[in-house]
């Protein structure tokens, strides 16, 4: 799914009550956003929008998988996305001021004249927050037995200090003459 219009909900036309929206989010969604540390994203976000007269209650349920690199050996692994997030969107005459003043991150103000809800930035933020911080080949295996042992060996060698390379630059060689004189 690309095109930003797909992520705009014309909530004004909705009846009061709960409406469900489903979003499939893959790597294309992140293409024009800051670089991610994951790839091969197959996220699904179910948004329940409970419409009231002067406010909306949103619940974002994130599921699916992302491709990550194992923290220990760098092997590509896939991890589950599993989290949910609540938001309250309040309608106001002065949403900009209220958004600045209100420090509650779960409350967002929009203008009473607004007809669409732009959910792309929330989807982005909530998917990022759903990416697990524990990124190992196997969560159960803390000893590294399921890691790529060959890669671990290479990483170990890379940690050794590099032997100093003495490449003689002809310019410095010429300057040495002056230095020694
Ligand atoms: Zn690993």
């Amino acid at each position: 799914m690309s095109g930003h219009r797909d992520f705009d909900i014309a909530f004004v036309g909705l009846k009061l009550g709960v409406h469900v929206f489903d979003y499939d989010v893959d790597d294309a969604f992140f293409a024009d956003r800051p670089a991610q540390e994951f790839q091969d994203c197959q996220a699904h976000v179910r948004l329940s929008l409970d419409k009231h007269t002067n406010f909306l209650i949103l619940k974002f349920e994130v599921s699916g998988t992302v491709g990550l690199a194992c923290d220990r050996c760098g092997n590509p692994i896939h991890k589950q996305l599993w989290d949910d997030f609540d938001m309250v969107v309040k309608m106001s005459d002065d949403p900009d001021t209220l958004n600045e003043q209100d420090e509650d991150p779960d409350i967002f103000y929009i203008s009473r004249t607004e007809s669409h809800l732009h959910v792309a930035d929330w989807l982005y933020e909530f998917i990022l927050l759903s990416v697990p911080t524990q990124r190992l080949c196997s969560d159960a295996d803390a000893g590294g037995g399921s890691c790529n042992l060959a890669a671990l060996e290479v990483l170990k060698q890379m940690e050794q200090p590099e032997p100093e390379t003495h490449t003689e630059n002809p310019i410095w060689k010429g300057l040495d003459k002056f230095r020694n004189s």
Side-chain angles (χ1 to χ4, degrees):
M1 198 190 292
S2 50
H4 291 283
R5 290 167 65 107
D6 296 331
F7 301 104
D8 293 344
I9 299 173
F11 68 90
V12 166
L14 299 175
K15 291 178 183 164
L16 298 183
V18 178
H19 306 265
V20 174
F21 301 86
D22 286 295
Y23 299 98
D24 287 311
V25 176
D26 59 20
D27 289 350
F29 178 80
F30 298 97
D32 55 354
R33 293 172 183 274
Q36 303 310 317
E37 54 186 355
F38 56 80
Q39 55 186 340
D40 192 16
C41 177
Q42 305 286 337
H44 185 83
V45 183
R46 168 159 289 194
L47 165 59
S48 305
L49 183 159
D50 187 3
K51 182 177 173 180
H52 295 250
T53 310
N54 289 313
F55 64 98
L56 311 165
I57 299 174
L58 309 181
K59 186 181 186 74
F60 296 82
E61 293 170 87
V62 184
S63 60
T65 59
V66 281
L68 295 160
C70 169
D71 280 339
R72 193 188 290 123
C73 72
N75 250 17
I77 49 175
H78 280 85
K79 289 286 172 190
Q80 294 287 324
L81 297 170
W82 193 261
D83 215 336
D84 55 65
F85 303 88
D86 298 312
M87 289 277 307
V88 177
V89 176
K90 295 183 178 177
M91 289 150 212
S92 142
D93 294 320
D94 189 6
D96 292 340
T97 307
L98 287 169
N99 277 326
E100 263 175 44
Q101 288 172 353
D102 196 322
E103 293 185 351
D104 189 337
D106 301 332
I107 298 178
F108 187 73
Y109 297 88
I110 57 172
S111 166
R112 287 187 197 281
T113 59
E114 183 62 77
S115 59
H116 287 71
L117 201 60
H118 312 286
V119 300
D121 286 347
W122 288 325
L123 295 182
Y124 173 77
E125 186 182 331
F126 295 150
I127 289 169
L128 256 59
L129 288 171
S130 299
V131 175
T133 50
Q134 173 80 280
R135 300 163 186 179
L136 297 173
C137 285
S138 166
D139 293 336
D141 172 27
S146 61
C147 277
N148 180 339
L149 295 178
L152 284 178
E153 193 54 41
V154 171
L155 286 172
K156 218 159 128 189
Q157 282 168 14
M158 282 168 62
E159 280 167 15
Q160 315 269 334
E162 278 184 44
E164 270 184 57
T165 49
H166 294 279
T167 46
E168 297 255 343
N169 185 321
I171 295 174
W172 299 124
K173 217 169 179 183
L175 288 173
D176 278 348
K177 269 195 296 194
F178 298 102
R179 198 178 293 157
N180 294 334
S181 61

